[in-house]
Amino acid sequence: MARNGFFTGLDIGTSSIKVLVAEFVSGEMNVIGVSNVPSTGVKDGIIVDIEAAAEAIKSAVKQAEEKAGITIDKVNVGLPANLLQIEPTQGMIPVPSESKEIKDEDVDSVVKSALTKSITPEREVISLVPEEFIVDGFQGIRDPRGMMGIRLEMRGLIYTGPSTILHNLRKTVERAGIVVENIVISPLAMTKSVLNEGEREFGATVIDMGGGQTTVASMRAQELQYTNIYPEGGEYITKDISKVLKTSMQIAEALKFNFGRADLEEASRSETVKVDVVGSDQPIDVSEYYLAEIISARIKHILERVKQDLERGRLLDLPGGIILIGGGAIMPGVVELAQEIFGTKVKLYVPNQVGIRNPMFANVISIVEYVGMMSEVDVISQRAVSGEELLRRKPVEFGMVKERVVPMFNEKVEQPVVPAQNFQEQNQPVYNPEPKEQKPKLGERVRGILGSMFD
């Protein structure tokens, strides 16, 4: 059941930083303020310059405050899946009270008993999510408070991450003059928010196509089964266009945003746009088809890597299929190209919040929804994690429970991915007129995707 009150989410991305303020009233989430500013000090989803990132966060918070009409002093921050590990855990305590009635403090104690005391300084516990409580052998209990029993047990999942990343995240937000209320694991929040009840139960995969990286998360049986980060995103498409056409990054970004598409079948061979290039006084003509070849090559490269890993984990055939979110998924033809590559149903998720019906806001919306929908038991568990200094360590294994480690890839990708043609020699557009349906000219099709996001 949702908690009433105001909650603020902070999404620190490679290309942009987003802040969203929402009010929960009787289980309903109402967005009252949102901001989106260019990101600085962040590379491939990781903070590399604390001061620069803090200034960008300050700017985003200020804009959100102006729109919401409130002062923001604490935020819930999304944490990417970089080197995330998911491990099962369990704890057990005797119920100490004379009445043997289980209270809040008993839940707090059993959560703390499920946490390790071993010293592994390079990792830190981010969150503990209870899956079930057991009272005197009776299993499947979601909230044991108010029940009577002699022994209380808990089984759940612990999420851990690198201490360095977590320290830098907290330090950056604090440097911006804001308190970190909760650190939310973005893939976990993303799957819970984007997927419906049936998709979470029977299985589905969410692909977040961001600016600096692509995040993949699969959920089945209400549990996060797999998550991975690929250090390629929309910025790499822009770099490819810039390198292939020998033009500036600003022009390349404008070409991608205004005229880019991912499907070659719908791209025109005859319609062209003039592009200023380095080393030439005269602009060159670039066809929409030529531009689509550059764009689709990079997107295919990313999605084919995702497909290989999903096949390896036997997650490609989940009944819920593939759901795309993120700014990179907005481009025309991405859904059709993804369907061709994955061979399964693919859909674009569009948030239903008034004024921000844009897939690029799905992540920050999911952060606020996740925190606002936390149960009282979840809140107690998270406070136990946040308030225990010894939790800054990796959990130990319990019995024969098998550890589930989320694989990660963080390698750099420097070279542009382009079709098997010499684009540098092909400075002239490709003309091959074919009978097609009449379409508006390029200038008429400049897409104002972001223009109405703050309606």
Side-chain angles (χ1 to χ4, degrees):
M1 182 177 179
R3 299 180 287 161
N4 292 334
F6 295 91
F7 299 95
T8 301
L10 171 61
D11 177 22
I12 304 174
T14 302
S15 59
S16 66
I17 292 178
K18 304 175 186 67
V19 174
L20 184 141
V21 184
E23 181 182 13
F24 282 81
V25 180
S26 301
E28 294 292 328
M29 174 180 169
N30 303 304
V31 176
I32 61 174
V34 66
S35 65
N36 181 29
V37 305
S39 182
T40 57
V42 183
K43 186 176 183 181
D44 296 334
I46 300 298
I47 295 172
V48 294
D49 188 329
I50 291 178
E51 293 295 336
E55 287 301 317
I57 293 172
K58 280 183 183 179
S59 177
V61 169
K62 183 178 179 181
Q63 289 187 22
E65 286 178 331
E66 292 173 353
K67 291 182 172 65
I70 66 172
T71 300
I72 298 173
D73 54 8
K74 56 185 179 180
V75 293
N76 300 280
V77 189
L79 179 74
N82 300 69
L83 302 177
L84 179 70
Q85 289 185 2
I86 309 171
E87 305 180 24
T89 186
Q90 59 189 22
M92 188 273 291
I93 63 164
V95 179
S97 65
E98 293 183 3
S99 65
K100 298 304 177 184
E101 181 176 329
I102 299 171
K103 302 177 181 179
D104 287 2
E105 50 266 31
D106 298 318
V107 174
D108 177 83
S109 296
V110 77
V111 169
K112 289 179 178 178
S113 74
L115 298 163
T116 182
K117 299 297 186 286
S118 62
I119 300 176
T120 312
E122 71 275 7
R123 298 199 67 80
E124 180 177 332
V125 175
I126 307 164
S127 179
L128 187 150
V129 178
E131 292 186 306
E132 68 167 346
F133 291 89
I134 304 170
V135 178
D136 292 346
F138 293 96
Q139 302 180 353
I141 299 171
R142 298 297 302 170
D143 187 349
R145 295 174 304 161
M147 297 182 178
M148 293 185 64
I150 298 174
R151 184 180 65 183
L152 175 63
E153 300 175 68
M154 186 218 67
R155 293 174 183 168
L157 294 174
I158 283 182
Y159 297 83
T160 67
S163 298
T164 301
I165 292 177
L166 290 161
H167 171 81
N168 293 344
L169 183 65
R170 291 192 187 92
K171 191 74 174 179
T172 302
V173 176
E174 291 169 0
R175 191 67 61 88
I178 311 166
V179 175
V180 177
E181 184 176 15
N182 289 292
I183 292 180
V184 179
I185 299 168
S186 291
L188 183 62
M190 186 170 65
T191 50
K192 286 184 176 293
S193 174
V194 172
L195 304 180
N196 59 40
E197 183 68 23
E199 290 167 341
R200 290 194 296 269
E201 181 63 34
F202 293 99
T205 297
V206 180
I207 301 178
D208 181 6
M209 304 180 71
Q213 59 189 17
T214 298
T215 303
V216 179
S218 297
M219 177 168 275
R220 180 171 52 193
Q222 303 290 339
E223 290 184 9
L224 189 63
Q225 300 287 321
Y226 170 82
T227 185
N228 202 354
I229 284 183
Y230 302 83
E232 299 175 71
E235 287 188 357
Y236 286 80
I237 297 174
T238 304
K239 291 177 183 179
D240 288 349
I241 296 172
S242 175
K243 290 179 180 179
V244 172
L245 299 182
K246 297 181 181 178
T247 189
S248 68
M249 288 289 290
Q250 291 78 12
I251 293 176
E253 180 67 19
L255 286 171
K256 180 185 74 173
F257 178 73
N258 293 323
F259 311 118
R261 60 185 312 119
D263 55 334
L264 297 177
E265 291 184 1
E266 295 296 324
S268 171
R269 294 177 181 269
S270 59
E271 296 185 29
T272 64
V273 60
K274 292 188 178 296
V275 179
D276 293 327
V277 297
V278 176
S280 175
D281 296 332
Q282 299 296 323
I284 63 170
D285 289 328
V286 176
S287 71
E288 186 183 61
Y289 187 87
Y290 186 15
L291 186 62
E293 285 185 306
I294 302 171
I295 293 171
S296 63
R298 172 63 70 177
I299 295 177
K300 283 182 179 178
H301 177 73
I302 297 172
L303 296 184
E304 284 173 355
R305 291 181 62 194
V306 174
K307 179 183 178 181
Q308 290 177 0
D309 290 333
L310 291 178
E311 285 180 331
R312 191 178 300 121
R314 298 181 180 179
L315 297 168
L316 190 58
D317 297 327
L318 294 177
I322 306 289
I323 295 91
L324 300 180
I325 64 171
I330 302 172
M331 186 183 300
V334 171
V335 172
E336 291 76 11
L337 181 59
Q339 285 177 333
E340 177 186 333
I341 292 172
F342 292 114
T344 187
K345 64 178 181 179
V346 178
K347 67 180 180 180
L348 178 66
Y349 173 80
V350 180
N352 60 4
Q353 299 294 330
V354 176
I356 50 172
R357 291 189 174 98
N358 193 310
M360 70 184 297
F361 285 97
N363 205 2
V364 70
I365 291 172
S366 72
I367 293 170
V368 178
E369 280 189 348
Y370 183 86
V371 175
M373 297 300 292
M374 289 173 65
S375 67
E376 292 183 2
V377 168
D378 292 331
V379 173
I380 294 172
S381 300
Q382 192 59 37
R383 285 176 180 170
V385 171
S386 302
E388 181 64 55
E389 183 178 357
L390 291 176
L391 302 187
R392 310 302 186 203
R393 301 175 180 124
K394 181 179 177 182
V396 295
E397 297 181 15
F398 290 83
M400 299 301 293
V401 183
K402 184 178 180 181
E403 177 182 276
R404 182 163 74 250
V405 178
V406 178
M408 293 300 309
F409 296 97
N410 288 299
E411 65 266 24
K412 290 282 293 176
V413 180
E414 298 289 349
Q415 297 301 321
V417 177
V418 298
Q421 301 179 25
N422 188 348
F423 285 110
Q424 296 180 356
E425 296 178 0
Q426 186 180 349
N427 289 330
Q428 297 301 320
V430 179
Y431 292 95
N432 185 14
E434 298 176 359
K436 297 175 69 69
E437 294 182 4
Q438 196 69 21
K439 297 196 300 183
K441 296 298 182 182
L442 286 176
E444 299 173 355
R445 291 192 290 114
V446 176
R447 291 179 291 280
I449 296 174
L450 306 180
S452 62
M453 62 178 62
F454 301 130
D455 291 345

